Structure formats: C-alpha cells, structure tokens
Amino acid sequence: MAEGGPAETSGDGRGPELGETGRQDGRRRRRELFLSLPALIVTTAVVGVVSWGVTRLTDGANSLARTTGPLATVSVETNPKKVGAFEDTGIQGVLPAGAAPTTGPGTGCTGFHDWLIKNAGTDAGASRLQVTVQGNAERQVQISNVRVVVASREEPPASVGVSCPTAGQANLRFLTIDLDSPQPRATYTSEDGAPFGFTVESGEIETFLISATAQQALYHWYLELDLVSGTKRTTVRVDDGGKSFRTAPLPAAPGWAWDYKSTWTSTTSGRTVAVGEPLVPPSPGAKDAP
C-alpha cells in the first residue's frame, strides 16, 4: 500500500503522498494547455499507456462502477476498449490453466475484457482503467492526492495467457503504478514539472487514465482519492464496484491470441484452437492441431 508523494510510509502500509498541490492559476494553465490539444475532450491524468485527454469519455459512462459522496462522484471504467486513450492498445490476460470457455470474446476486442473476467480471468501485465471525478459541492473541490493500496499479494496460480492483439500503439503516459514496488505509488509526470493537484467545480469533470503493471505476483489493489472543499475533507475508495482490482503477471509460457472471430492461435507456433477446446499452454514447436 502506498501513495505517490514525499511523506514517509505510515504504519498502516500507505506510501508517500504525491506532493503539495500547485497554485490555482498554475493548475488552470495546465488545464488550458491540455484542453488545447486536438482529440482531447477532458483534462486527463494517465497511468501506464494513457493520455491527459480522453477522446471518448462517455463510452464507459454507462457501465462504470460509481461512488457518490458529499464532495464528488467517482466513476470507474475497467474495460480499456471503452476508453478512447486505450483504443490502440492490445489486451492481455490469464485464464485458469486448462480453461475451456464455451464462448469466445466476440468480434474485435471490445468485449474481450468483459469476457475475460466472466470466465474467471485476470488482467495480465497491466490493468488499464479510467477514473472520472465529478464535483458535487457548491464550492470548488480539490483532488489533492491519490494513493495505491495493495490489499493482498499472492503467488500467481497456474494459468494460460490469452490476448486480443492490436495493430496500433498508444504512446501517451503521465501517471503510472508499479505494483511490484515495495511501496507502490501513483507516479505523476508533467511536462512542466508541476506537482499533482487538480480541482473541479460543481458539475465539472476531471478524468484520470490509469495503468498499473505487475511482473512478480497477483495483486488485489484499489485507490484512495483525497478530496478537499473548504473545511470539508474526505477520502474516497476507488475500486471495481466494491471489489479490488486484480492484476497478474504475464505467464512465462506461450499463450493464445484471439483472431477477432472464432479461433485462438498460438503466439509462437501458429497452432490453432477452436472456441470450446481447452486452452493449455501451447508447445512452442508444435504446429499440429491438438
């Protein structure tokens, strides 16, 4: 458990905070700068493979997990293909070894993440999500800090890798989380070196695109946002509808890539498996059907 910032880790396992907020006019200048970029709609902080702006903020709005408090409403979209900034990234996950889902992820990659979770799968390599904060208070609400809280760290179970590849590449990143760190924190990077710190007026929206990576273990984790409005202060837990986010490492063995239609193909040998057949780690040299 940790947070991005300079403070020492406390006894409850939380890491240092992201830092003191800049002056209001500085924040406004940053907002104006990012709003001027083409294809961006809302000022956005991003983790992993993310951008300061989301081109389709409303895509995930209908399926978000929401937490409503006196100062702000926080929404989370966990399907990266419903977030504009992640459209050009592939999706990688793991399924229990020997899993034989009777249905496939469907056409393209849009339904891949939901299919993965439905079949007891887990994000692998990285979890990419969108967190949206909308102000509720009459006065301005300051988003002063975001913390990473690792609820548990487990040995990865036997699994097989699955992916929905992409021909594109996303290259914008500002805020990242390394879950393998002894004190994971949300690391924010800005071009002008400004510290983390944003504000929302009543009804105004601030969006954070987040990508948390894992290479060593299966992590159950969530975020905490510190909100301040006048003399009121509150901390909002950000999770997946009451459950922790889950991120596992990529398996060492070769995996299977979805062909966007009806077939799984070995990422190393070219061997194919139809939907409904067991997905076991493919042999690197085997090209014949199972």
Side-chain angles (χ1 to χ4, degrees):
M1 297 164 54
E3 59 195 50
E8 294 297 324
T9 304
S10 63
D12 63 2
R14 295 178 180 174
E17 297 184 355
L18 283 167
E20 297 295 328
T21 58
R23 293 183 177 179
Q24 181 175 343
D25 59 346
R27 293 193 298 269
R28 292 302 180 191
R29 286 197 298 271
R30 295 200 301 279
R31 180 177 286 112
E32 292 171 0
L33 171 62
F34 288 113
L35 287 175
S36 68
L37 296 176
L40 301 187
I41 294 181
V42 182
T43 306
T44 306
V46 186
V47 182
V49 193
V50 184
S51 70
W52 263 99
V54 179
T55 57
R56 298 191 317 177
L57 173 62
T58 57
D59 276 4
N62 293 330
S63 61
L64 300 183
R66 291 184 172 86
T67 300
T68 301
L71 299 185
T73 297
V74 180
S75 304
V76 182
E77 175 57 74
T78 58
N79 185 347
K81 288 303 177 182
K82 293 183 179 180
V83 180
F86 294 133
E87 283 185 319
D88 290 334
T89 63
I91 301 179
Q92 294 178 302
V94 288
L95 291 173
T102 56
T103 62
T107 304
C109 289
T110 302
F112 189 91
H113 185 268
D114 294 341
W115 170 90
L116 177 70
I117 302 304
K118 180 180 179 181
N119 286 279
T122 304
D123 294 335
S127 289
R128 299 184 178 95
L129 49 124
Q130 173 181 281
V131 176
T132 303
V133 182
Q134 182 171 11
N136 288 342
E138 295 182 1
R139 301 179 61 177
Q140 185 182 79
V141 177
Q142 180 184 44
I143 307 167
S144 63
N145 188 43
V146 57
R147 285 183 298 279
V148 183
V149 182
V150 175
S152 66
R153 182 182 189 276
E154 305 171 9
E155 187 71 21
S159 61
V160 59
V162 291
S163 65
C164 195
T166 179
Q169 180 179 3
N171 55 17
L172 294 176
R173 58 189 70 196
F174 288 90
L175 207 161
T176 58
I177 300 173
D178 179 6
L179 293 171
D180 295 317
S181 171
Q183 298 181 359
R185 67 184 66 187
T187 302
Y188 165 66
T189 303
S190 66
E191 292 183 357
D192 60 0
F196 181 91
F198 303 88
T199 60
V200 286
E201 306 289 346
S202 179
E204 187 179 11
I205 292 175
E206 193 77 59
T207 302
F208 302 88
L209 299 180
I210 300 174
S211 180
T213 60
Q215 297 181 15
Q216 300 176 7
L218 168 62
Y219 297 94
H220 297 250
W221 60 280
Y222 58 92
L223 299 172
E224 290 183 338
L225 292 181
D226 290 338
L227 307 178
V228 180
S229 181
T231 60
K232 296 181 180 179
R233 296 175 178 270
T234 188
T235 297
V236 178
R237 171 171 167 147
V238 181
D239 56 25
D240 188 8
K243 300 180 294 182
S244 296
F245 304 118
R246 293 190 304 157
T247 310
L250 293 170
W256 300 95
W258 181 238
D259 72 345
Y260 310 127
K261 295 179 181 179
S262 61
T263 304
W264 297 98
T265 302
S266 167
T267 55
T268 56
S269 69
R271 172 183 162 190
T272 60
V273 169
V275 169
E277 295 185 56
L279 290 173
V280 297
S283 301
K287 294 188 177 181
D288 55 312

